Amino acid sequence: ELNQQGDLLDPKKILIFNRDNFEKEIFDKLFFQETKQKQKSKSVIIKNLKELLIKSVEKRIIELKQLPQEKRKLAILFSGGIDSSTIAVLADRINQEEKLGLQIILYTAAFSDGNTRIAPDLEAAEEIAKYYHFQLSVTTVSLEETEKAIPEIINIIEANDPIKVGV
């Protein structure tokens, strides 16, 4: 907003105005005080991100090694997009490197009403699974089945947010 001089109030500042004597004081918001950090190069950021992703996936699957061999299964919800594909490839690599003996199964779902083409997500999932020789389990559901499942999904996830329900 404009002050009496027509200046804009800096959103990084706090204005305290005394109505009795019309004096004002301006303070910096602590939230906006920046700490000086050395700017990292793009290659360092990419390297750090890669390491964090690998550690994150490894942390979640390494404990499966303690299970009997017949129970060493890993399920991944799989759309064939960049996120789920990255997780699947990393899990597969860790499985091989650490000799975990996991059976990795990718699960995907797609709509099918008989009148539309194959869902792009399903095409992507099948293509990636074939390329990497992953086991893919596909569930196709009709619009009617989907509509029937919505109340149960809302109950299970305890949310009615359309994005969360859709996932």
Side-chain angles (χ1 to χ4, degrees), residues 8-26:
L8 290 174
L9 178 62
D10 185 344
K12 295 180 183 177
K13 306 281 184 183
I14 297 173
L15 171 70
I16 298 178
F17 182 75
N18 185 326
R19 292 185 303 183
D20 295 329
N21 61 13
F22 298 101
E23 290 182 6
K24 67 179 178 181
E25 293 180 85
I26 297 178

Side-chain angles (χ1 to χ4, degrees), residues 16-165:
I16 298 178
F17 182 75
N18 185 326
R19 292 185 303 183
D20 295 329
N21 61 13
F22 298 101
E23 290 182 6
K24 67 179 178 181
E25 293 180 85
I26 297 178
F27 299 92
D28 290 327
K29 287 184 181 178
L30 296 177
F31 178 80
F32 290 103
Q33 289 182 350
E34 297 178 20
T35 57
K36 301 284 183 190
Q37 290 185 352
K38 184 179 176 185
Q39 184 68 22
K40 295 179 181 176
S41 70
K42 184 177 179 180
S43 63
V44 168
I45 293 169
I46 291 170
K47 179 180 177 260
N48 289 346
L49 178 60
K50 183 178 177 182
E51 288 173 3
L52 287 170
L53 277 170
I54 292 168
K55 284 180 185 177
S56 178
V57 173
E58 188 174 61
K59 177 181 177 180
R60 282 152 182 82
I61 68 171
I62 201 79
E63 291 182 358
L64 297 175
K65 191 173 188 176
Q66 67 186 330
L67 298 175
Q69 184 62 50
E70 68 275 4
K71 293 187 177 188
R72 292 186 194 175
K73 296 180 181 180
L74 177 66
I76 299 175
L77 296 176
F78 191 71
S79 69
I82 189 75
D83 297 338
S84 61
S85 295
T86 300
I87 299 302
V89 168
L90 288 176
D92 185 57
R93 183 185 326 157
I94 293 165
N95 185 34
Q96 291 177 33
E97 289 173 359
E98 298 294 327
K99 298 178 179 33
L100 299 176
L102 297 176
Q103 178 186 6
I104 300 174
I105 307 168
L106 309 179
Y107 290 89
T108 192
F111 290 109
S112 174
D113 65 5
N115 297 321
T116 58
R117 67 180 182 89
I118 296 174
D121 281 1
L122 178 55
E123 287 179 332
E126 289 175 335
E127 186 178 328
I128 296 294
K130 183 179 178 180
Y131 181 84
Y132 285 102
H133 308 288
F134 291 147
Q135 182 179 345
L136 179 65
S137 176
V138 177
T139 300
T140 54
V141 292
S142 68
L143 183 58
E144 183 180 285
E145 290 171 312
T146 304
E147 289 173 345
K148 279 183 178 178
I150 289 174
E152 184 179 355
I153 292 168
I154 290 171
N155 188 41
I156 291 170
I157 67 171
E158 299 178 347
N160 63 359
D161 179 310
I163 301 298
K164 290 180 181 178
V165 172

